[in-house]
Amino acid sequence: MRTSSGWDDGGAAFGSDVRALAAAMIGYGLAPAGRVAVLGQAGADALRAELAVLVAGGCLVSPDPALGERGLAHALAASEVVQAIACDERHLAFLLALRPELPSLELILLMRAQPSERRPAALLVSSAVAAGHAHLEREPEMLRAALASAKPSDPAVLYWRVAGASEALSRSGLATLTERIVSAVEPGRGRPVLVAVEAGSPVRLAAAVAIGDRDGSLLLADALERPDTGLDERPVRSALLSTHALSRLAQAWQDDIARRGWPSRAVARWSLRQQGDGWKRRLAELLTLRTLRSRLGNEIGHLDVVRQKPARLDPSTDSFFEVVGLPVRELAGDVPLLPGPAIAPSA
């Protein structure tokens, strides 16, 4: 699935909704560094909610889905979440059943609701966004004031792992990671940047912040599918991929070649064996390599990759893209995560 939402989505709707949802959260009582959990899907709706938490000066609680329901319940309780956003009714039902165990939880928002005659709809994110726009009209500086109240050492994101421990990304750490991504992908006004990094990664969140802050256009790819799907009309200028997404892209392109008829397949494989700057390389460019790069729009000169521990970049994948003419650069430095709270053994 391709989510070509971006912060701008061809206009200003995405970024405007992020700010409005942030304003609504503040209006509903979210204080600086207040904990907010977003449960559910990995698409643009969830990313919008996650960004809104940061814009409001809050702390995003991001549990690993592999925790299971009881582990998730313990993580939410240990985090002392004050607000939660459920991406669908299944997660809403989970939160409602869990509410007696979460005395700090003051507000639940629902991303999408199914029509029901048996009960009134829960408070919807769309309603909160409308309320947030009204808040911003009355008090246009409320978001600036909230961010000014947030301390650099405050946690921006609290990641809960399967083992019951957590890691925190501080607001200053998020700023550091964001600047590294800016240096790598060079986002700018209207510049399309492809991001294919697994949900729950600090890099994915920081990339969205980097692109949004500079009025770029975020092309969010499902990290479980080939990341070049649906890019025919949105040629990318930069790409930030996980090692898994990079490997999937290389395999998809090689599979496409393998499915060609014999003459075309032979030419493509010959092209991939050419190195250097001689006439054979120029012919390979003309016959195959330029066509492969056009899958990403032919306006990109390299690929930035996020190495996921313990996974390492496969040398054959690296060399494949080198031959294609898209050298791979690894995003330098480790993510500045700090130890966070743990679930008590008695939980």
Side-chain angles (χ1 to χ4, degrees), residues 113-200:
Q114 299 295 327
S116 173
E117 298 178 357
R118 293 173 296 174
R119 62 168 178 79
L123 182 58
L124 298 178
V125 165
S126 57
S127 300
V129 167
H133 282 300
H135 282 308
L136 290 174
E137 287 182 7
R138 294 192 302 268
E139 193 179 346
E141 295 298 312
M142 67 182 303
L143 295 181
R144 191 185 304 274
L147 289 176
S149 300
K151 301 175 183 178
S153 58
D154 286 343
V157 192
L158 192 60
Y159 294 98
W160 283 97
R161 307 306 185 191
V162 175
S166 64
E167 293 174 311
L169 179 64
S170 69
R171 300 195 77 87
S172 60
L174 177 64
T176 298
L177 184 56
T178 298
E179 288 304 317
R180 280 169 41 201
I181 292 173
V182 168
S183 298
V185 304
E186 299 179 344
R189 182 176 294 277
R191 183 185 177 101
V193 181
L194 174 67
V195 176
V197 179
E198 282 72 7

Side-chain angles (χ1 to χ4, degrees), residues 72-78 81 95 98-106:
L72 176 56
H74 294 329
L76 296 180
V81 294
L95 286 169
L98 190 63
R99 199 157 194 172
E101 301 178 36
L102 302 176
S104 60
L105 183 60
E106 300 172 353

Side-chain angles (χ1 to χ4, degrees), residues 8-285:
D8 59 358
D9 198 18
F14 190 84
S16 177
D17 283 354
V18 166
R19 290 184 286 273
L21 182 55
M25 289 177 178
I26 295 172
Y28 294 138
L30 182 64
R35 309 286 174 83
V36 182
V38 178
L39 306 182
Q41 64 193 25
D45 284 343
L47 181 60
R48 176 180 63 173
E50 292 169 352
L51 291 171
V53 176
L54 300 180
V55 172
C59 171
L60 172 66
V61 176
S62 180
D64 190 327
L67 280 170
E69 288 194 354
R70 289 317 304 166
L72 176 56
H74 294 329
L76 296 180
S79 301
E80 298 182 337
V81 294
V82 295
Q83 296 182 8
I85 299 177
C87 288
D88 54 42
E89 298 227 19
R90 180 174 66 86
H91 290 94
L92 173 64
F94 170 75
L95 286 169
L96 291 175
L98 190 63
R99 199 157 194 172
E101 301 178 36
L102 302 176
S104 60
L105 183 60
E106 300 172 353
L107 173 72
I108 300 176
L109 295 174
L110 176 61
M111 194 74 72
R112 292 193 183 94
Q114 299 295 327
S116 173
E117 298 178 357
R118 293 173 296 174
R119 62 168 178 79
L123 182 58
L124 298 178
V125 165
S126 57
S127 300
V129 167
H133 282 300
H135 282 308
L136 290 174
E137 287 182 7
R138 294 192 302 268
E139 193 179 346
E141 295 298 312
M142 67 182 303
L143 295 181
R144 191 185 304 274
L147 289 176
S149 300
K151 301 175 183 178
S153 58
D154 286 343
V157 192
L158 192 60
Y159 294 98
W160 283 97
R161 307 306 185 191
V162 175
S166 64
E167 293 174 311
L169 179 64
S170 69
R171 300 195 77 87
S172 60
L174 177 64
T176 298
L177 184 56
T178 298
E179 288 304 317
R180 280 169 41 201
I181 292 173
V182 168
S183 298
V185 304
E186 299 179 344
R189 182 176 294 277
R191 183 185 177 101
V193 181
L194 174 67
V195 176
V197 179
E198 282 72 7
S201 166
V203 175
R204 179 178 180 264
L205 196 59
V209 172
I211 295 164
D213 284 350
R214 286 153 185 82
D215 296 323
S217 178
L218 169 62
L219 304 180
L220 182 63
D222 188 332
L224 300 179
E225 298 183 14
R226 57 182 295 175
D228 61 335
T229 304
L231 290 176
D232 298 342
E233 298 179 2
R234 297 293 300 274
V236 302
R237 300 290 298 278
S238 306
L240 182 62
L241 310 176
S242 68
T243 48
H244 297 156
L246 186 74
S247 297
R248 278 190 288 274
L249 182 61
Q251 188 60 57
W253 286 8
Q254 292 177 72
D255 289 346
D256 289 347
I257 290 172
R259 285 191 291 267
R260 296 181 182 183
W262 179 82
S264 177
R265 183 171 67 247
V267 169
R269 288 176 173 170
W270 174 85
S271 298
L272 291 173
R273 292 196 297 269
Q274 306 313 309
Q275 304 282 345
D277 298 318
W279 69 269
K280 290 184 178 181
R281 174 69 184 192
R282 291 193 293 273
L283 182 59
E285 279 278 330

